[in-house]
Amino acid sequence: MASSFQPQTFFDRLAAHPGEDVALSDGRHCLNYAQLRTLFYEFALTLLVPGQKSLGGERIALILPAGFNYTVALLGIWRAGGVAVPLNVNTPPNEIMYALSTAGVTRAFTDKEHQQVSDSLCAELGIPLELCDTHNTSETISERDIPLPGPDARALLLFTSGTTNKPKGVVTTHGNLTAQVNTLLEAWYWHATDVIPLFLPMHHVHGIINVLCCALAAGARIEIFESFDMPRLFEGVANKTYTLFMAVPTIYVKMIKALDDLQENQQAIAICQGFGNMRLMISGSAACPVSVHTAWKKHTGQVLLERYGMTEIGMALSNPYHGPRKPGTVGQPLPGVELMLVNEQNQAVTGDNNPGEIWVKGPNVFLEYWENPQATQDTFSEDGWFKTGDIAILETGYYRIMGRSSVDIIKTGGEKVSALEIESVLLEHKDIVECAVIGVPDETWGEAVLAVIVLEESAGVLSVDALKVWCKSCMSGYKVPKRFEMMRALPRNAMGKITKPALAKLFTR
Ligand code: AMP
């Protein structure tokens, strides 16, 4: 059957929704699409000096949590032809400083809560900081007309998560943004009747593109949380408020623990039914262990849809909406995304179980690393493929991510092993709640497989020998970790991703 999907730009879509439909709600107030359009257009005008038609790619930072202000400011910056630089409000000052100066930010917006910290940082860099209060704008849209930014205009500058090295500024254009949104609207059947909670950090594609922009492009309703608030979320779920849900694996882990701890009462049943009632629940941004897929299905009946993407490309692979979803895999390329696996000789690999680096091409692929032409050049092949740095295999039509080539592919005794594969097996052990597998230099093995594990609070004493025996029963001998280290919790970034270089530093001897 031919798809009826119409490609349209993000702003065209936004302009078309019925004004009275609710766009955003924060639990106390609502903003409908007519109000949102007025507010962000007004905000765009306030960014321009009289006579100015466009910000011409000026970088403007947002030091704001998810909320009305954040949304209005983001859309307003885009509408005025600026580049939005959303920063993590919970990040240490030195990292905010790094981002502000690297991106050449000229203005920044914050709120009262984050004003004090932002003030001193911006003052040090000579960047004017303004309080963002878009709630009370009651002026009508002025007659002044400003042009919409074209598809090649830069829109967004996001910093990579820096789990493997120093964060780089990833620049995406309005054309990229439209492509990244459209592919998800089509693949995941977004609709104006959808209602989605948004509790993800707002300096990352997951929250910005997959949730905020897709929902606004679809004319759907977003319930905004300033941060992850499980009681408020569960209340909304129990009331069957939401149709769609997107989270990182660590959020599912937290919710599984909470559901495990709940007594079998009416409230617990209503929460599980509320999750079961949604039309789609998605996991991504890090590998979702099979044990999490299984536990989630047991509690809610939902089969999670896992997808794969990154800051530079938005989303690239997704399990199907209609067909079977396979835990531990990330499905097939999304509409409009070209993808291949490439070996170390730069040749495309075909057939099942042959590992290769994921290379991606398409209108979703970013423009450049900000002011870093060398890094941009190094990351593209001569014929324009973006080299992701992730290794995958194909298994009966579904891609399986083996991990980042720089940290997750461990070369031990002449074999290459995937850290993600070993982690997924270790998490099947009843006493292990978290784990990270890394390679550490070793005289005998070149690299030795080391597993850092966090044990269940109620777990008794677990000897390394017993663990190794258990591992041998479920993985090939060369994959069994040579060393085990225990921690109370693993170091993670704001997206819940384990920062493996920190572990490697800690345990390399
Ligand atoms: P970021 O740019 O912060 O979104 O990080 C992107 C990286 O996260 C990718 O390059 C992958 O290494 C990893 N990633 C994203 N989704 C998945 C997934 N479903 N499974 C495994 N790794 C993933």
Side-chain angles (χ1 to χ4, degrees):
M1 198 176 72
S3 163
S4 59
F5 186 79
Q6 295 293 320
Q8 279 175 44
T9 72
F10 175 68
F11 277 104
D12 285 347
R13 289 182 183 281
L14 202 50
H17 307 314
E20 65 280 10
D21 285 2
V22 173
L24 304 167
S25 136
D26 64 4
R28 280 165 298 140
H29 305 104
C30 290
L31 208 60
N32 67 30
Y33 276 95
Q35 291 167 319
L36 178 63
R37 286 190 289 252
T38 306
L39 288 175
F40 82 71
Y41 196 77
E42 281 295 337
F43 190 81
L45 294 180
T46 63
L47 294 173
L48 297 164
V49 293
Q52 192 183 12
K53 290 269 182 202
S54 165
L55 290 169
E58 191 178 324
R59 272 88 48 222
I60 302 185
L62 300 179
I63 311 173
L64 289 165
F68 294 174
N69 280 334
Y70 177 99
T71 310
V72 169
L74 177 78
L75 298 178
I77 293 168
W78 284 346
R79 187 63 188 80
V83 175
V85 188
L87 300 177
N88 178 4
V89 288
N90 296 317
T91 224
N94 62 324
E95 288 178 22
I96 297 201
M97 201 70 164
Y98 170 83
L100 289 171
S101 55
T102 308
V105 162
T106 48
R107 296 165 79 168
F109 288 91
T110 191
D111 60 7
K112 287 208 180 88
E113 202 190 321
H114 302 94
Q115 189 180 13
Q116 215 180 356
V117 182
S118 313
D119 233 356
S120 54
L121 294 175
C122 288
E124 211 170 308
L125 294 168
I127 298 171
L129 178 74
E130 292 159 65
L131 261 190
C132 187
D133 185 7
T134 56
H135 287 79
N136 301 323
T137 315
S138 58
E139 296 162 47
T140 50
I141 290 185
S142 90
E143 289 305 302
R144 222 173 119 202
D145 197 18
I146 50 170
L148 275 165
D152 296 333
R154 293 174 174 84
L156 193 59
L157 196 159
L158 295 178
F159 283 89
T160 54
S161 37
T163 44
T164 47
N165 41 35
K166 206 127 179 81
K168 296 193 280 280
V170 176
V171 179
T172 41
T173 64
H174 281 273
N176 297 147
L177 205 130
T178 285
Q180 292 180 5
V181 167
N182 280 348
T183 191
L184 299 185
L185 296 191
E186 182 177 355
W188 296 342
Y189 291 78
W190 272 94
H191 196 268
T193 53
D194 277 323
V195 183
I196 188 165
L198 170 53
F199 44 76
L200 295 163
M202 291 311 289
H203 62 284
H204 189 270
V205 278
H206 200 164
I208 301 171
I209 302 291
N210 298 21
V211 183
L212 185 70
C213 290
C214 281
L216 294 177
R221 172 170 159 183
I222 304 160
E223 285 249 348
I224 293 200
F225 292 65
E226 277 203 8
S227 57
F228 184 64
D229 172 349
M230 195 138 44
R232 186 184 146 206
L233 179 74
F234 276 7
E235 201 184 311
V237 172
N239 292 334
K240 299 199 168 56
T241 309
Y242 312 117
T243 63
L244 250 177
F245 195 92
M246 297 187 197
V248 293
T250 43
I251 296 276
Y252 286 106
V253 170
K254 280 185 194 168
M255 294 195 302
I256 289 166
K257 181 151 187 356
L259 292 177
D260 282 342
D261 292 347
L262 277 180
Q263 305 293 328
E264 272 274 328
N265 59 21
Q266 282 303 99
Q267 176 66 359
I269 294 169
I271 295 168
C272 291
Q273 284 177 345
F275 279 119
N277 197 48
M278 292 181 200
R279 72 169 183 86
L280 181 62
M281 298 193 73
I282 298 176
S283 172
S285 291
C288 185
V290 174
S291 55
V292 171
H293 281 270
T294 311
W296 193 251
K297 186 167 175 215
K298 191 184 111 213
H299 278 298
T300 67
Q302 282 277 356
V303 180
L304 291 178
L305 178 153
E306 186 169 356
R307 56 65 182 172
Y308 157 89
M310 63 194 300
T311 311
E312 287 87 337
I313 56 175
M315 299 304 111
L317 289 160
S318 166
N319 266 281
Y321 184 77
H322 287 303
R325 298 172 195 160
K326 293 198 184 163
T329 78
V330 288
Q332 295 90 29
L334 282 156
V337 176
E338 270 187 88
L339 186 142
M340 63 175 174
L341 299 184
V342 175
N343 65 18
E344 278 160 11
Q345 289 73 46
N346 282 351
Q347 291 155 341
V349 295
T350 50
D352 275 10
N353 297 313
N354 292 326
E357 185 184 6
I358 303 176
W359 286 18
V360 176
K361 215 184 229 187
N364 56 311
V365 176
F366 77 126
L367 178 72
E368 62 186 355
Y369 289 117
W370 179 249
E371 292 195 331
N372 198 339
Q374 191 58 52
T376 309
Q377 191 187 325
D378 292 347
T379 204
F380 281 95
S381 74
E382 277 172 12
D383 47 354
W385 290 87
F386 170 63
K387 308 177 197 174
T388 63
D390 287 312
I391 305 297
I393 55 168
L394 192 59
E395 266 178 17
T396 54
Y398 287 70
Y399 285 88
R400 181 185 289 277
I401 308 292
M402 310 303 281
R404 293 208 59 73
S405 58
S406 53
V407 286
D408 294 318
I409 306 299
I410 304 166
K411 294 170 196 101
T412 182
E415 302 276 3
K416 281 187 190 166
V417 303
S418 155
L420 301 197
E421 190 191 332
I422 300 172
E423 286 162 11
S424 187
V425 175
L426 288 173
L427 287 169
E428 298 288 329
H429 192 290
K430 65 175 182 25
D431 291 334
I432 299 178
V433 280
E434 284 184 71
C435 76
V437 167
I438 53 173
V440 285
D442 184 276
E443 272 184 24
T444 314
W445 302 99
E447 271 188 302
V449 178
L450 183 154
V452 188
I453 57 177
V454 178
L455 291 180
E456 186 79 57
E457 272 166 30
S458 58
V461 180
L462 192 60
S463 77
V464 168
D465 287 343
L467 256 177
K468 285 190 177 170
V469 170
W470 180 85
C471 285
K472 278 184 189 145
S473 71
C474 34
M475 60 177 92
S476 315
Y478 65 91
K479 295 180 185 169
V480 174
K482 299 278 180 302
R483 266 173 75 192
F484 284 90
E485 299 285 349
M486 312 275 174
M487 284 183 93
R488 295 176 82 85
L490 297 178
R492 291 179 188 269
N493 71 11
M495 289 303 292
K497 292 188 203 212
I498 300 162
T499 43
K500 290 196 175 179
L503 288 178
K505 220 173 177 179
L506 204 61
F507 294 115
T508 299
R509 50 177 187 223

